[in-house]
Amino acid sequence: MALNEVSITILETSDIHGHIMPLHYAANKETPNGLARISSYIKDMRKQEPDLLLIDNGDCIQGTPLTYHYAKFRDHLPNPVISVMNHLQYDCAVIGNHEFNYGMSIVSRAVSQSFFPWLSANILHRDTKESYFGYPYTVKEVKGVKIVIVGITTHYIPNWENPSHIKELAFEDALLSLKRWVQFIHETEQPDVLIVSYHGGFECDLETGDLTEQQTGENQGGQILKEVAGIDLLLTGHQHRILSKSVNDTYIIQPGYNGQHIGKAVIHLKKGTNSWRVENIEGEVVSMADQLPDKDVLDLVYFQEMETQKWLDQPIGYIDGDMTIHNPLKVRTHEHPMIEWINKVQMKASGVSISATSLLSNISEGLPSKVTMREIVSNYIYPNTLTVLELSEADIRKALEQSASYFTLNEEGQIDVNPEFVLPKPQHYNYDMWEGISYTIDVSKPIGERVIELEFYKEGPHHVVMNNYRAGGGGNFSMFKDKPVVKEILIDMAELLAEDLLEKKTIKAEVNNNFKVINSNAHR
């Protein structure tokens, strides 16, 4: 390659969600993902390109039993995810929304333990309005090329997060903040390459520009491409998609989730009279399925992983009956005993008589007859706490209609999942099932008119318990936003479920069939 031409490699991870080990914790089976596999790929790449840049796009320190166990019982030790990222010599990382799930002390400790800067230009001190984590952007010089990486985070976090975890913070609109910082960086730093690492995704179809979701501000990637000039490479995440393409003279990458893939961009530059010029960018998203786990990484977290495995295998109690899950759609259309139990635990913890919860993942297997912590944390995968809201009957009906939009009728006239809850990101957790009321959803009716029967057992206003994500309006449940908060139960649901089982020793698998999901046309 001529002296006036260089190529620089950028690697992106995003939404690792605590997956270091290539392991499905519920089944204890090996999986084709995780930082241990990614490490092997990075080390091979460094042999070819020693000067590559490695960037994490957020949501890395939360999401597995290993990270949960660390946050709850071992937080005096080095954070296992940060230990691995330091070992891999990350150049920077962006704050994601799930970084706050275990509380500010865990985030702050993770940042302080890191050998690299954490970026977020729009997460500010509530009082001083200065960057909370200290670095809006970082400057790197590679092969004589000046590269600036600016980090930005979806500002929708207050709609999901436990308020006590973010009370010191202010979240500036990501798009507006980025416009200001990109202009500032070009004027003051005059970079040869500007990379934006945005923990957020796209609210529109990248080909047509048509909106694919409500413009809440959660995902602003389309607006960034349209309204912010001067970005060479836009690294994204949050939606767990696989993307690698050029749009409006900006190359975009999104590398999936849980360490199943890594994003790779090769920036080709040519030297002009006074500066370098980006000629083109080649990108791809690379699967980790063929990578062997790196023994160095496995050794780094060996002892914390062993402690986690011991904790997971602790027996807690027993199920009398069948609480296993074989068909997630059936769980959502016919009341399931595990959902009934979760609602009852929420009602017990909060002291109220109406509750709403969801089946959080389609890979949940339910509970076997002998229950360990492994089964609890594998089925209740988020560190949610509980919030009690005061709601009117109209609020509850709107919420039920929002949940009812989860369904559609397929070509055979059978009840199926609305594609909007599957693409571009699976959102099965945004369908709730309620206890303490009786209702019927008719999928043959138009969206917004599907709740055909609704019975309350006492007059309102009603105190309703739900997880903190939903209480903040998360999942397009705008009817919950700014409603009076009666109380908060700041104990993780996984702990509440475990405590209930430890106390009772045996839980009976039963349902009271207080809701139905039907297709009335099928009976004609």
Side-chain angles (χ1 to χ4, degrees):
M1 186 176 289
L3 291 176
N4 65 341
E5 296 180 4
V6 297
S7 295
I8 298 170
T9 298
I10 312 295
L11 298 181
E12 177 203 7
T13 56
S14 189
D15 300 272
I16 292 294
H17 288 291
H19 285 79
I20 299 172
M21 308 295 293
L23 188 66
H24 182 270
Y25 279 89
N28 240 353
K29 292 181 180 177
E30 190 167 336
T31 52
N33 67 308
L35 281 174
R37 291 186 190 273
I38 282 176
S39 175
S40 295
Y41 177 83
I42 291 170
K43 289 180 177 179
D44 285 343
M45 282 296 303
R46 285 197 195 276
K47 292 174 185 175
Q48 305 168 41
E49 289 289 336
D51 296 324
L52 66 81
L53 293 179
L54 178 58
I55 301 168
D56 185 77
N57 189 59
D59 281 6
C60 65
I61 65 171
Q62 172 277 339
T64 59
L66 173 63
T67 58
Y68 182 94
H69 184 259
Y70 165 77
K72 296 301 172 184
F73 308 109
R74 294 289 184 270
D75 66 339
H76 57 287
L77 300 173
N79 187 305
V81 176
I82 302 304
S83 295
V84 173
M85 293 175 74
N86 286 338
H87 173 73
L88 291 176
Q89 300 174 50
Y90 272 79
D91 289 282
C92 59
V94 175
I95 298 290
N97 53 294
H98 282 286
E99 257 64 76
F100 300 102
N101 285 174
Y102 298 137
M104 185 56 78
S105 64
I106 295 293
V107 193
S108 299
R109 201 167 292 128
V111 170
S112 68
Q113 292 172 4
S114 300
F115 298 165
F116 50 87
W118 285 78
L119 313 176
S120 191
N122 66 317
I123 299 181
L124 312 175
H125 278 277
R126 185 188 60 192
D127 298 325
T128 66
K129 298 299 185 286
E130 295 177 352
S131 177
Y132 189 88
F133 294 99
Y135 301 97
Y137 65 90
T138 188
V139 181
K140 310 292 287 189
E141 184 167 318
V142 181
K143 299 178 181 177
V145 176
K146 185 176 184 179
I147 300 172
V148 172
I149 306 159
V150 57
I152 206 89
T153 306
T154 175
H155 61 260
Y156 210 61
I157 290 171
N159 291 281
W160 306 313
E161 191 51 68
N162 185 327
S164 67
H165 292 173
I166 55 174
K167 61 186 178 182
E168 302 169 20
L169 307 179
F171 295 86
E172 188 177 33
D173 184 287
L175 176 66
L176 298 179
S177 180
L178 187 61
K179 284 181 178 179
R180 191 177 72 253
W181 278 107
V182 166
Q183 181 179 352
F184 174 83
I185 288 165
H186 277 296
E187 290 175 354
T188 59
E189 299 287 357
Q190 298 180 340
D192 299 307
V193 178
L194 178 60
I195 299 172
V196 172
S197 189
Y198 168 47
H199 190 82
F202 297 92
E203 74 284 26
C204 62
D205 184 287
L206 290 171
E207 301 294 336
T208 66
D210 295 338
L211 289 178
T212 55
E213 60 181 52
Q214 294 181 20
Q215 281 192 290
T216 60
E218 177 181 351
N219 298 298
Q220 297 175 298
Q223 287 179 280
I224 289 172
L225 289 172
K226 187 177 179 180
E227 300 180 29
V228 187
I231 300 171
D232 297 298
L233 177 62
L234 177 61
L235 305 177
T236 65
H238 185 57
Q239 291 174 313
H240 299 181
R241 299 169 70 183
I242 303 292
L243 295 172
S244 177
K245 65 194 306 179
S246 183
V247 181
N248 296 350
D249 298 322
T250 297
Y251 204 92
I252 63 165
I253 289 180
Q254 190 170 147
Y257 65 106
N258 293 357
Q260 298 177 46
H261 300 82
I262 194 168
K264 176 186 175 185
V266 180
I267 305 175
H268 301 286
L269 300 104
K270 206 173 253 190
K271 189 71 175 282
T273 307
N274 299 311
S275 62
W276 292 93
R277 181 179 69 251
V278 175
E279 287 289 289
N280 72 299
I281 299 177
E282 298 175 289
E284 62 179 319
V285 176
V286 184
S287 170
M288 295 296 103
D290 295 330
Q291 297 292 326
L292 294 175
D294 180 0
K295 186 177 182 300
D296 290 343
V297 169
L298 300 182
D299 289 345
L300 264 178
V301 298
Y302 176 81
F303 289 107
Q304 291 194 57
E305 174 67 17
M306 288 303 100
E307 289 296 316
T308 302
Q309 291 291 342
K310 290 177 187 175
W311 172 71
L312 286 172
D313 286 329
Q314 291 175 7
I316 296 175
Y318 300 88
I319 304 298
D320 178 9
D322 185 7
M323 257 195 210
T324 57
I325 293 174
H326 307 286
N327 183 333
L329 182 59
K330 191 173 181 181
V331 173
R332 297 183 176 101
T333 55
H334 300 77
E335 192 169 15
H336 188 276
M338 189 179 79
I339 299 299
E340 175 123 343
W341 176 53
I342 293 172
N343 269 322
K344 285 181 177 177
V345 170
Q346 291 189 173
M347 293 155 75
K348 172 186 170 186
S350 61
V352 302
S353 58
I354 302 178
S355 173
T357 193
S358 61
L359 178 63
L360 297 176
S361 168
N362 271 12
I363 63 171
S364 292
E365 298 178 354
L367 299 176
S369 56
K370 182 181 178 181
V371 183
T372 63
M373 275 305 300
R374 187 182 303 280
E375 280 84 32
I376 296 291
V377 298
S378 297
N379 283 280
Y380 207 101
I381 57 177
Y382 297 114
N384 290 331
T385 56
L386 297 178
T387 301
V388 177
L389 298 181
E390 183 173 291
L391 302 174
S392 68
E393 293 183 7
D395 294 327
I396 293 172
R397 181 177 286 275
K398 287 177 184 176
L400 290 169
E401 290 288 3
Q402 174 60 33
S403 278
S405 69
Y406 176 81
F407 299 109
T408 190
L409 296 178
N410 62 25
E411 293 178 355
E412 289 76 38
Q414 298 171 327
I415 296 173
D416 208 339
V417 180
N418 182 342
E420 291 186 8
F421 284 77
V422 180
L423 299 172
K425 175 183 177 180
Q427 299 180 56
H428 301 290
Y429 49 80
N430 282 332
Y431 168 78
D432 288 340
M433 291 154 281
W434 290 61
E435 192 62 48
I437 58 175
S438 296
Y439 60 97
T440 300
I441 292 171
D442 186 350
V443 183
S444 69
K445 304 291 186 186
I447 287 178
E449 303 174 18
R450 289 180 166 178
V451 179
I452 59 171
E453 295 175 2
L454 176 56
E455 180 184 355
F456 294 90
Y457 304 146
K458 62 179 183 179
E459 292 187 4
H462 302 281
H463 291 176
V464 181
V465 60
M466 61 192 73
N467 67 57
N468 59 291
Y469 168 79
R470 186 69 80 239
N476 296 322
F477 284 77
S478 57
M479 71 292 299
F480 294 152
K481 288 200 67 167
D482 303 319
K483 289 297 188 291
V485 174
V486 178
K487 69 172 79 169
E488 294 176 290
I489 298 89
L490 300 180
I491 302 173
D492 287 351
M493 264 306 293
E495 291 184 46
L496 292 173
L497 293 169
E499 286 174 8
D500 189 65
L501 195 48
L502 283 165
E503 176 191 326
K504 295 175 179 173
K505 297 186 173 54
T506 299
I507 302 292
K508 187 171 179 58
E510 57 187 0
V511 295
N512 60 9
N513 296 310
N514 67 297
F515 77 85
K516 292 185 289 186
V517 178
I518 65 170
N519 171 16
S520 61
N521 287 343
H523 304 295
R524 292 178 181 174

